[in-house]
Amino acid sequence: MNRQEADILKALMEKPFVNQRLLAQSCGHSVGVVNRCLKSLQAGGLLNDTMEPTPLAWAEARAHAPKSAVILAAGQGMRMVPVNTQYPKALLEIRGEVLIERTIRQLRAVGIQEIYVVVGFLKERFEYLIDDFGVELIVSGDYARKNNLHSLALAAKHLTNTYIIPCDIWCGENPFRPWELYSWYMVTDRQDPAAAVRVSRKLELLTGQRGGSQMVGIAYLTEPESGVIRSRLKEYDAQPRYDECFWEETLTGGDRLLTQARVVSAEKYVEINTYEQLR
């Protein structure tokens, strides 16, 4: 099953088939691609004659379904000074809702119960999340010296079919789904001169050049990618030269990332790095 077929199958798991035009709109592919993929999915035994997912399709979905989430919230967020001197970025209130609480509610809405939050700076302020939301806190003692590659390394054993989420992303719509069929990394449709990745026509994330798609930081991993990342986190975290690296360093393989691109609207996903972005 290729990427386009997976997108279409996932859309049909979420909403019943009406017609190919509406299906094309919901999954972001052309009507011609939808028509071709529907035939292929039927030939592969994943859809029946009425375009409903078969037991084989549901078995495939269960094998890749989200099981857990890791929220990275250990950093100090120095670009937010003086806003963050009393509150970590994750606990800032945006439109009447605490940022990390919104993320947790979005995860809960699609059935994700196993949520780990890596904390460090002002870690005691996150403790209420244990009682109020049932999350597990993982404490980083090196948050001031090491970047989020180290934070994710502390949670590496929990990486299975897992969402990885920076704590400072405001999502205008729920980016999480009850069903996922492949690993992806989220970028927006806005071009960024400083971006280190570019989306290819096949929705691969190519590296090695500046000027591409704005990286959001949210990702979803399934096996075998989770296994690769677990191994690299252990290896890289033991080397001081990776102390200041982002966890995305472990995604790089040759001239591209290990995951596919998931492209979203820049208007609906905002990274809160500065006071102006918060405003």
Side-chain angles (χ1 to χ4, degrees):
M1 180 168 41
N2 62 31
R3 160 69 186 268
Q4 295 167 330
E5 292 168 353
D7 287 341
I8 290 165
L9 182 59
K10 186 169 66 171
L12 291 172
M13 288 173 168
E14 296 174 357
K15 292 182 180 179
F17 177 78
V18 177
N19 58 52
Q20 292 189 14
R21 179 179 58 82
L22 290 176
L23 181 56
Q25 291 175 355
S26 68
C27 68
H29 298 299
S30 70
V31 173
V33 167
V34 167
N35 180 271
R36 182 173 67 251
C37 289
L38 288 176
K39 293 178 180 177
S40 178
L41 290 167
Q42 284 183 308
L46 296 170
L47 292 178
N48 62 21
D49 292 340
T50 57
M51 303 302 173
E52 296 174 320
T54 64
L56 179 62
W58 287 113
E60 182 76 8
R62 284 191 292 273
H64 296 89
K67 297 178 181 177
S68 62
V70 176
I71 302 175
L72 303 174
Q76 293 176 273
M78 294 305 294
R79 283 183 286 178
M80 291 293 291
V81 173
V83 176
N84 69 332
T85 55
Q86 294 182 321
Y87 293 94
K89 279 198 298 182
L91 299 182
L92 293 173
E93 190 173 288
I94 298 175
R95 298 185 178 180
E97 190 173 19
V98 175
L99 186 56
I100 196 170
E101 291 181 12
R102 178 179 179 86
T103 299
I104 293 170
R105 290 189 185 101
Q106 288 173 327
L107 288 163
R108 292 282 193 243
V110 299
I112 307 299
Q113 301 301 318
E114 191 178 327
I115 301 175
Y116 304 91
V117 183
V118 185
V119 298
F121 177 63
L122 296 177
K123 61 183 183 300
E124 65 279 357
R125 291 191 175 270
F126 291 92
E127 291 176 356
Y128 80 97
L129 296 174
I130 300 172
D131 294 328
D132 290 2
F133 292 93
V135 306
E136 180 176 329
L137 301 187
I138 299 172
V139 178
S140 170
D142 282 326
Y143 67 87
R145 189 171 63 87
K146 295 187 177 184
N147 211 328
N148 70 14
L149 186 151
H150 175 66
S151 292
L152 190 59
L154 295 176
K157 67 180 182 180
H158 301 297
L159 299 182
T160 55
N161 292 351
T162 304
Y163 288 111
I164 300 171
I165 312 156
C167 70
D168 55 1
I169 307 296
W170 183 85
C171 301
E173 61 183 18
N174 195 337
F176 313 117
R177 299 289 182 266
W179 303 108
E180 300 281 2
L181 293 171
Y182 53 83
S183 298
W184 50 258
Y185 183 91
M186 186 180 289
V187 297
T188 74
D189 53 9
R190 179 177 294 159
Q191 296 300 295
D192 181 354
V197 298
R198 179 175 60 83
V199 181
S200 75
R201 293 176 61 183
K202 295 181 179 180
L203 292 176
E204 299 167 312
L205 284 165
L206 306 180
T207 62
Q209 51 190 303
R210 292 290 174 182
S213 296
Q214 185 181 52
M215 300 172 73
V216 175
I218 299 176
Y220 181 70
L221 298 179
T222 67
E223 298 290 351
E225 287 82 9
S226 285
V228 173
I229 299 306
R230 287 194 302 270
S231 176
R232 289 182 178 179
L233 284 168
K234 181 178 180 181
E235 176 188 351
Y236 294 2
D237 191 44
Q239 302 179 49
R241 67 191 181 99
Y242 288 103
D243 285 353
E244 297 182 7
C245 288
F246 292 99
W247 80 269
E248 283 88 347
E249 190 77 25
T250 65
L251 278 177
T252 304
D255 62 349
R256 65 200 64 209
L257 299 192
L258 298 178
T259 58
Q260 291 279 298
R262 178 179 170 186
V263 183
V264 299
S265 168
E267 301 301 319
K268 296 180 179 179
Y269 296 85
V270 182
E271 183 178 11
I272 311 299
N273 261 332
T274 65
Y275 179 75
E276 179 59 23
Q277 289 169 328
L278 173 64
R279 189 191 67 80

